Amino acid sequence: MSGSPGGTVHLRGGLVVAVESPGVPGPKALLLRSGRIGGEEWAALVRESGGARRPAAGLVAHGCTGAAQLRVVCAMVLKDAAFAVVAGSVDDRERGPAAEPPPGAVTRGGPPTRCKAVNVGMLFARVRYRM
């Protein structure tokens, strides 16, 4: 969605599983700023995971964060970014190609990133209302 701040909404099975917006920090920024993990630890986990932008399994396996805490952080980012996108100005929206699972995506059943997804109908109803 273009606008101010704009953003990207990732859908899976009709549900919003991730939202990225320049107006909201992502899971990495929240974990680093909170001191739960250091920059060097994060870099090592990214290398260990083969370059994954969000090494969720490694964060939990190495005890850098708990699975529940990671779920909460991912859910916070999703909801904050969705709010930022629809609370700002939405100039246009465009459907892009399906891609690999987005960084920080929440899922319905797989640990360690299992989070309740947001209803896509409610999100887009807000966008249509604002346009």
Side-chain angles (χ1 to χ4, degrees), residues 65-109:
T65 185
Q69 184 177 63
L70 188 57
R71 285 192 302 267
V72 169
V73 168
C74 290
M76 285 177 14
V77 168
L78 185 151
K79 292 175 182 180
D80 287 350
F83 176 78
V85 169
V86 299
S89 64
V90 178
D91 299 332
D92 197 11
R93 63 186 185 271
E94 165 184 327
R95 183 177 179 176
E100 64 183 55
V106 298
T107 63
R108 282 207 165 269

Side-chain angles (χ1 to χ4, degrees), residues 53-65:
R53 284 178 57 192
R54 301 253 192 333
L59 287 166
V60 174
H62 289 280
C64 299
T65 185

Side-chain angles (χ1 to χ4, degrees), residues 26-48:
K28 175 184 175 183
L30 293 179
L31 291 169
L32 289 172
R33 289 179 192 168
S34 71
R36 304 231 185 270
I37 184 169
E40 291 178 19
E41 290 173 293
W42 184 274
L45 289 171
V46 168
R47 284 191 301 274
E48 182 181 295

Side-chain angles (χ1 to χ4, degrees), residues 6 12 26 49 51-52 69 76 113 129:
R12 187 179 304 136
S49 69
Q69 184 177 63
M76 285 177 14
T113 57
Y129 175 76

